[in-house]
Amino acid sequence: MPASRCARRGERDLTDPGRGGCLPGAWRMPDGRCAAVTGRILPFGDRALLVEVDRLDDVLALHARLAADVPDGVVDLVPAARTVLVHVDPRRLSLAATRAWIARAGGGPVPERRVAPLVELPIVYDGPDLDELADALGIRPAELAERHAACEWTVAFTGFAPGFGYLVSADWRYDVPRRATPRTRVPAGAVGLAAEFSGAYPRESPGGWQLIGTTSARLFDADAVTPALLAPGARVRFAALPAPAAASPAPSPLAAAASARPPVRVETAALARGLDAHTRSRDEGRGALVVEPGLLATVQDQGRPGHAAEGIATAGAADRAALRTANRLLGNREDAAGVEITMGGFRARAESDLWIAVTGAWGAVLVDGHPMDPYAPQLWPAGSELHLDWFAHGTRAYLAIRGGVAATGVAGSCSTDTLSGLGPAPLRAGDRLTPAGPDPAAPIPPDDLRPWGPPDDTAIEIALAPGPRADWLAAAAGLFEADWTVSNEADRVGIRLDGPALRRIRTDELPSEGMLPGAIQVPPDGRPVILGPDGPVTGGYPVIAVVADASRDALAQARPGTRLRFRHARPGA
C-alpha cells in the first residue's frame, strides 16, 4: 500500500542552496506512523551527488524510492551508513536533472515493499571472539549465538570488499565495539559483528570486526551473472550448524569451511590468470609471450562501472584516453582490452605477426633493438622481441593488439583490480597475450596526424569539482593555494600527496560513504589522498573535492615527484 502525504509543516524547507536542496520529508506509512525523512543533496564532483539523511532506516527508504524509478543516465546507486551516492553519466543525465529527480523520488510515496529474496547462510559459531564478546555483553556464548541466528537480517549496503554486505536487523539490540587492534588476516567465510552490523568476509583480508563464527557459503563468485551473493535489500538468516565434536580428528571449522568450497580446477586457475583456456588452445601459437613484465603490467579495459553497490570498484585503465587512442589506431573497439605497463621495463616476444600500438607514457619502444614510433599502428613481426624501456615521461603506457587482448571478464570487464584481486592477475614472465578474436572487419585507419607528444609529468594542473565535506576543513581554500607533490605512496589504489597538512575542524568519525575514483580524502594527519581506479567503493575519511573527470587521465601520468596545482573546475567543463 503506498504511503500517503503527512500534513506536517516545516519539513520541506530548503537548506542553503550552496549545499544543495533538502528532501521533502514527512510521509505517513501504511500503519499510520509519521516517518519524517529529511536530508541534504551534496555535490560529489562533476558526475555524482551525495544524499545525506539522518538514520540508516532513512537510507534504506530513500534507496528503495530511487531504485523504483531509475532514469536513463544513472550509473550507480550506492547506499551506505547515512548516505546514498548517486553516480550519473552527465552526457545522458545532467546533475541538475539528477538533483530534481532525487528531490521528487525522495519526497514521493514509499514504493510497495516487495518481498526481497531470503538468503540462508550456514554458520558454525566457532569464532575466536565469541566467548570474550559474550562475556562483555553479559550473556553466555550460546545465548549470543542463539540471538544472532534468531534475527532476520537485511543487507543495508555493501563495501570494504566485493561481496561484503553490511547486515542490519531490527531485532539486534547490541552495539558491538570493533577490536582495539585489527587482525592482519581474517579468513574467508569468517562471520563478525561491529557496531550495529553483522557481516561475513568473502575473502581473506585484514579486519577489525569481532569474529563469532564461520560460514561455508560462497559469498562472491566472479563467474556468476550476479557475482555478489548478498545484494542491498536482500534478507539474510544464519542457519546454525553443530560444531564438530571436541574429540574428532576433523580439521577446525575454519579449515573445514575452506575445504568445503569447490576445488579450483587447473583450467579455472588459468582463467584467474586472465587467459581463457578455450581461446588458448584454439589460438595456440597466435599472440605473444611475456618475457619480462617490468614493474607492473596488467590487463585493462574501460572498467566495470555500475557495480559499486556490490562492492566492486570501477578499475579499468588509469589513463582511459590513452587506451582508447591505442585501440582506435588499430581499428579496435575503443573499449577493447589492452596491457597497462607501469614505468616501463616490459619485454615480450611475438609468436605470430601482430599489429600493435603503444600510447601513453613516453620512452624508447624497440622491436629487436630498432626504434618504433608510439601513437602509430606498427607491425610486430613473429619471432621479434618488443621492449618498452623505462619511461622518461609519464607513468603508464598502453599496449594494444589488433583484435584486443583476450582475458576473462568479471562483471562485464577484463580489468585487473589490484586492491580486490578481481580480474586477471598481473602479468608474469611466461604468460601469453592472445588476440581476443579475429582482426576487426574495419581496416587499420590512416595515419593519425595529431601532433602527439610526451605527457607532462613535471607540473600538472588538475581541475577539481566540489566535494561533500569541504566544511570539515578549517580553510578549504588551502587546497588550491598550496603546491602539492606526488609522494612515493602512489599506485592504482590512490595517490598520497606531500605538502602542507590540511587542518580539519572536525575530528569525529564519519560513517562510511560511497566513493568514486578521483575523490580527495583527508585523513586525520591532514595529508590528502586521491583515490585511483582501484580505490575502495566506500570510505570513512571526508571527501573535500573530487578530480574533474577531464583531469583524471592527466593525473594517471603523474609519478612520484610530480608537482600538482589545483584549480576550480569550470561548470559544465
Side-chain angles (χ1 to χ4, degrees):
M1 172 182 176
S4 60
R5 194 63 188 272
C6 174
R8 284 178 52 179
R9 295 187 176 183
E11 299 292 348
R12 298 180 60 85
D13 293 341
L14 295 178
T15 60
D16 177 356
R19 301 298 296 164
C22 77
L23 300 178
W27 301 95
R28 189 168 301 282
M29 305 303 288
D31 63 2
R33 291 180 297 110
C34 185
V37 180
T38 58
R40 297 189 300 166
I41 304 175
L42 307 175
F44 201 107
D46 57 0
R47 60 197 189 280
L49 295 170
L50 188 73
V51 190
E52 181 181 45
V53 294
D54 294 331
R55 302 172 303 168
L56 181 57
D57 287 348
D58 297 339
V59 169
L60 301 179
L62 174 63
H63 183 261
R65 287 169 175 164
L66 295 174
D69 182 23
V70 180
D72 179 60
V74 173
V75 177
D76 230 332
L77 298 173
V78 188
R82 297 293 182 270
T83 57
V84 177
L85 180 69
V86 182
H87 177 199
V88 301
D89 180 350
R91 296 168 298 181
R92 294 151 56 200
L93 186 68
S94 70
L95 290 181
T98 303
R99 184 184 298 273
W101 166 65
I102 293 171
R104 288 194 305 270
V110 178
E112 293 240 17
R113 183 177 179 182
R114 293 176 294 178
V115 178
L118 178 65
V119 179
E120 188 172 275
L121 300 181
I123 183 172
V124 175
Y125 286 100
D126 62 345
D129 301 321
L130 180 66
D131 291 354
E132 186 176 344
L133 177 59
D135 184 64
L137 297 176
I139 57 178
R140 294 176 294 104
E143 186 178 356
L144 175 58
E146 290 169 3
R147 293 187 179 186
H148 184 262
C151 293
E152 181 175 292
W153 300 85
T154 299
V155 183
F157 57 95
T158 61
F160 172 66
F164 187 97
Y166 288 78
L167 312 181
V168 295
S169 174
D171 300 323
W172 184 255
R173 58 186 182 89
Y174 298 108
D175 188 352
V176 176
R178 287 174 169 81
R179 288 176 54 85
T181 303
R183 291 182 170 88
T184 57
R185 177 186 174 276
V186 175
V191 176
L193 297 167
E196 62 196 292
F197 303 108
S198 184
Y201 287 74
R203 59 193 292 264
E204 181 180 311
S205 62
W209 287 34
Q210 305 279 359
L211 304 183
I212 62 170
T214 308
T215 180
S216 60
R218 190 168 188 177
L219 299 165
F220 190 87
D221 181 357
D223 297 325
V225 175
T226 304
L229 178 63
L230 304 180
R235 298 178 298 137
V236 178
R237 276 197 178 276
F238 290 92
L241 300 177
S248 170
S252 70
L254 289 176
S259 64
R261 295 183 180 86
V264 177
R265 299 175 298 169
V266 173
E267 58 267 34
T268 302
L271 294 181
R273 293 223 20 91
L275 299 176
D276 186 294
H278 174 68
T279 302
R280 287 178 60 176
S281 61
R282 182 190 65 198
D283 292 325
E284 195 70 38
R286 182 169 178 253
L289 189 72
V290 176
V291 176
E292 172 58 53
L295 184 66
L296 176 68
T298 59
V299 175
Q300 300 292 343
D301 53 24
Q302 294 299 314
R304 46 181 72 90
H307 295 277
E310 302 169 59
I312 300 174
T314 301
D319 186 342
R320 301 156 298 170
L323 178 56
R324 284 196 298 264
T325 299
N327 279 319
R328 191 167 60 245
L329 289 168
L330 297 173
N332 293 342
R333 291 168 49 105
E334 289 191 351
D335 60 356
V339 180
E340 181 180 275
I341 299 162
T342 301
M343 299 303 292
F346 179 87
R347 295 177 182 270
R349 183 170 299 278
E351 297 180 324
S352 61
D353 287 350
L354 297 169
W355 281 95
I356 63 172
V358 177
T359 60
W362 210 261
V365 181
L366 309 171
V367 174
D368 275 351
H370 301 289
M372 186 187 88
D373 287 337
Y375 281 93
Q378 302 283 353
L379 179 64
W380 181 12
S384 62
E385 183 178 275
L386 173 70
H387 177 206
L388 274 66
D389 206 348
W390 300 106
F391 303 146
H393 301 281
T395 300
R396 297 174 175 90
Y398 293 87
L399 169 64
I401 297 175
R402 184 159 162 83
V405 172
T408 302
V410 177
S413 170
C414 299
S415 292
T416 298
D417 183 334
T418 57
L419 179 63
S420 71
L422 288 185
L427 294 174
R428 300 187 305 191
D431 284 345
R432 293 185 69 250
L433 299 173
T434 303
D439 287 348
I444 292 178
D447 285 345
D448 191 323
L449 301 181
R450 185 178 302 185
W452 300 105
D456 186 355
D457 63 357
T458 303
I460 305 176
E461 185 178 75
I462 301 295
L464 301 184
R469 305 298 176 190
D471 57 356
W472 279 52
L473 291 185
L479 184 66
F480 297 91
E481 295 169 350
D483 290 318
W484 302 94
T485 303
V486 175
S487 75
N488 290 326
E489 299 175 81
D491 56 21
R492 286 182 50 86
V493 177
I495 298 173
R496 186 180 295 275
L497 302 181
D498 285 334
L502 298 175
R503 188 170 67 86
R504 286 171 37 171
I505 58 176
R506 293 184 56 176
T507 58
D508 50 317
E509 185 175 340
L510 180 69
S512 290
E513 298 180 339
M515 293 290 146
L516 287 176
I520 301 181
Q521 296 183 317
V522 179
D525 66 5
R527 294 179 60 198
V529 175
I530 309 176
L531 296 185
D534 295 350
V537 300
T538 60
Y541 294 138
V543 172
I544 60 169
V546 182
V547 175
D549 196 60
S551 287
R552 283 183 54 205
D553 294 328
L555 183 64
Q557 297 299 346
R559 56 169 62 190
T562 297
R563 297 192 306 276
L564 301 182
R565 186 78 181 184
F566 296 127
R567 65 171 175 82
H568 293 279
R570 293 186 301 272

